[in-house]
Amino acid sequence: MPTESDDLSYHAQSFAARLRNAGVRPGDDEQTRLGKSLLVFATGLMSIASGVWLLLYWLTGPKLSSTLPFLFQVLLALNLAYYIHSGNFTWFRFSQFALFLFFPFVAQWSMGNFITGSGVILWGLIAPIGAVFVMGLRESMPWFFAYVFLTALTGFFDYLLVDVGRPLDAATAVSLRTSVLFFALNFIAISGIVYALVRFALEEKRKLQARLEQAMNLLRSEQERSERLLLNVLPGAVAARLKVSDNTVADDFPSVSVMFADIVNFTQIASGLSAPQVFAMLNEVFCRFDTLAEKRGLEKIKTIGDAYMVAGGLDSRCKDPCAAIAELAIDMRDSLPALSEKVGVPLALRIGIGTGPVVAGVVGRKKFIYDLWGDTVNMASRLSGDGPPDAIQCDRRTHMHLSQRFAFDERTVLRIKGKGEVITYRLLGRAPRDTTAPPQAATA
């Protein structure tokens, strides 16, 4: 349905611009645009053909017979002008097809029978053919039945009156030579117009298909972009569940390794930098950490100020999440000298790793976030805050998982807020490979 803004936009155009655009409005759908373009195109073809027919008939046939094609041409032009002025396509469509259908029969009836009229009723076939493209298959059927009925009616009366002739004077008689000429012209003209209409419709359909494909490509591109944005916020499996259901997403995991990494003395570092410089520094550091985490198949959970949180064991991408978290912690620590040189400030990290059960899920309905809860998360957070610079503090479960493959310092006892005294281990690095030495027992 055209809106008020469409009407204002349409009437703001000049008459020539509306005619050039076939009366298409900004809010028209593609099928309506095609119908308007096709009907205006058919009107132009019929007007040109009628003009040529009028000229030839005036030169070769009776002078009085040119009145009807001239009147037909005038009515087509007036109806088109009214449509372009008013924009009433429903009326234009009906009235124009009615002219296409009935005028050829009126012309033949005025000239006599099929022979003297040179089969001029063939022009009426433009109405049902045009209706197929402009109105649709079902809506075109009444026009076709009307054409068949009028043709049968004309043939019936021609059959009854074939022997009831009346003398024709020389001024109105149509010679056999003229009838033969216009039989050929009518067949050629109708065939040409039908071909032009079909060709035009298919060309417009091709353009429409191209626009639809372009729109689909843009839609796919936007979907992929939205998918990437969603996957930047949520793990893939969680995003897939949210797309098919509005139910709350909350899962229990019996063993997940969680790591927190804090930049040491971040407040002091940030105080000497402008806000854009602080943002640029954090972006450089965290983008580097993102690359390392993705390489290890780990899930970045979030950043909180200068703190970076990552977890392993929430999906099947990582076969040994605890070892992968340890490898990531070492990579992050070892990347600091290069990062410090790049951002122009000395950087150090405090890293805490905890392993154990967690609850993971999506909080909220708007601006939601995927987060982890549980004692394991609290332990990793506390370890990152209470350790010395460049230290990787691990809880007891993490040490049990990694003691055979990584080097640790002696265990220590830390007093952690809300936990009391807790046994922790400092991860030093990867253990040297010695195939001759028997494996050491895990330190309890």
Side-chain angles (χ1 to χ4, degrees):
M1 291 291 294
T3 62
E4 184 177 351
S5 60
D6 289 339
D7 289 337
L8 293 175
S9 176
Y10 178 79
H11 289 290
Q13 302 176 38
S14 65
F15 184 88
R18 292 182 232 166
L19 180 60
R20 186 167 55 252
N21 295 329
V24 173
R25 296 171 181 264
D28 288 340
D29 57 46
E30 294 295 343
Q31 189 62 36
T32 303
R33 289 171 180 264
L34 176 61
K36 290 182 176 181
S37 300
L38 186 61
L39 189 51
V40 172
F41 179 69
T43 300
L45 288 179
M46 291 290 283
S47 297
I48 294 172
S50 178
V52 174
W53 194 90
L54 172 65
L55 177 62
L56 292 176
Y57 216 96
W58 181 265
L59 294 175
T60 61
K63 303 297 184 292
L64 294 177
S65 298
S66 61
T67 304
L68 279 175
F70 177 73
L71 179 60
F72 176 63
Q73 197 170 21
V74 170
L75 290 176
L76 287 179
L78 291 176
N79 200 33
L80 177 61
Y82 172 74
Y83 158 63
I84 295 299
H85 173 72
S86 66
N88 189 344
F89 182 62
T90 302
W91 163 256
F92 175 65
R93 184 175 60 184
F94 175 80
S95 57
Q96 211 73 337
F97 282 141
L99 288 173
F100 290 170
L101 178 64
F102 291 110
F103 237 87
F105 286 93
V106 174
Q108 178 159 314
W109 296 338
S110 68
M111 288 186 287
N113 52 35
F114 277 95
I115 297 175
T116 57
S118 304
V120 73
I121 61 173
L122 280 171
W123 289 81
L125 190 59
I126 299 298
I129 291 177
V132 170
F133 295 108
V134 176
M135 304 176 70
L137 295 176
R138 171 181 286 183
E139 291 79 1
S140 68
M141 291 180 64
W143 295 97
F144 177 72
F145 290 144
Y147 174 78
V148 171
F149 172 76
L150 290 173
T151 302
L153 185 66
T154 303
F156 174 73
F157 280 105
D158 280 358
Y159 178 80
L160 291 181
L161 302 175
V162 68
D163 294 327
V164 185
R166 60 182 178 84
L168 299 175
D169 56 41
T172 60
V174 180
S175 68
L176 181 60
R177 182 171 296 177
T178 301
S179 295
V180 171
L181 172 64
F182 278 92
F183 260 118
L185 289 177
N186 284 333
F187 275 98
I188 292 172
I190 296 303
S191 301
I193 290 177
V194 170
Y195 173 78
L197 288 175
V198 173
R199 182 182 177 88
F200 181 82
L202 293 178
E203 181 66 18
E204 290 298 310
K205 285 284 188 181
R206 185 190 64 79
K207 293 179 182 178
L208 172 60
Q209 185 65 31
R211 289 196 294 270
L212 289 176
E213 289 179 2
Q214 183 180 13
M216 288 299 297
N217 289 334
L218 290 175
L219 178 60
R220 280 193 291 267
S221 177
E222 286 300 315
Q223 283 182 323
E224 291 172 1
R225 182 172 177 271
S226 300
E227 190 75 16
R228 288 194 299 269
L229 290 174
L230 188 61
L231 293 178
N232 281 336
V233 178
L234 304 172
V238 175
R241 288 165 61 184
L242 282 178
K243 286 190 291 186
V244 299
S245 174
D246 291 333
N247 295 333
T248 301
V249 176
D251 299 305
D252 290 315
F253 293 91
S255 181
V256 171
S257 292
V258 181
M259 183 186 75
F260 280 87
D262 294 327
I263 298 177
V264 178
N265 295 328
F266 175 75
T267 302
Q268 296 179 11
I269 294 173
S271 64
L273 302 173
S274 65
Q277 288 175 323
V278 173
F279 172 80
M281 179 194 69
L282 288 177
N283 186 60
E284 184 69 37
V285 172
F286 289 159
C287 284
R288 175 60 178 162
F289 291 172
D290 288 345
T291 302
L292 295 174
E294 187 175 1
K295 178 181 177 182
R296 298 291 182 185
L298 300 170
E299 189 70 46
K300 172 188 174 182
I301 304 301
K302 60 184 176 181
T303 58
I304 311 168
D306 63 311
Y308 186 88
M309 180 182 178
V310 64
L314 299 172
D315 53 36
S316 60
R317 287 185 300 163
C318 186
K319 301 301 182 183
D320 191 348
C322 191
I325 285 285
E327 295 279 2
L328 174 62
I330 295 170
D331 290 342
M332 290 167 62
R333 184 189 62 187
D334 294 345
S335 68
L336 287 180
L339 283 172
S340 298
E341 184 177 353
K342 193 166 186 179
V343 300
V345 293
L347 297 175
L349 290 177
R350 290 189 181 94
I351 299 176
I353 301 175
T355 299
V358 300
V359 175
V362 177
V363 177
R365 290 294 179 185
K366 293 183 178 180
K367 296 184 179 179
F368 46 74
I369 184 173
Y370 185 73
D371 208 348
L372 307 182
W373 299 271
D375 189 60
T376 302
V377 178
N378 297 332
M379 175 64 74
S381 177
R382 295 285 189 270
L383 290 175
S384 69
D386 295 336
D390 288 331
I392 304 174
Q393 297 282 101
C394 301
D395 68 352
R396 187 174 181 180
R397 288 189 179 183
T398 303
H399 177 261
M400 292 177 63
H401 278 287
L402 303 177
S403 60
Q404 302 297 318
R405 292 168 288 171
F406 291 83
F408 287 88
D409 202 352
E410 292 295 328
R411 71 180 184 178
T412 58
V413 177
L414 291 180
R415 180 171 294 277
I416 296 178
K417 181 180 179 181
K419 299 290 293 182
E421 292 185 348
V422 175
I423 297 175
T424 64
Y425 299 83
R426 182 176 178 182
L427 175 64
L428 302 177
R430 301 171 183 87
R433 296 189 178 184
D434 185 359
T435 57
T436 61
Q440 298 178 357
T443 304

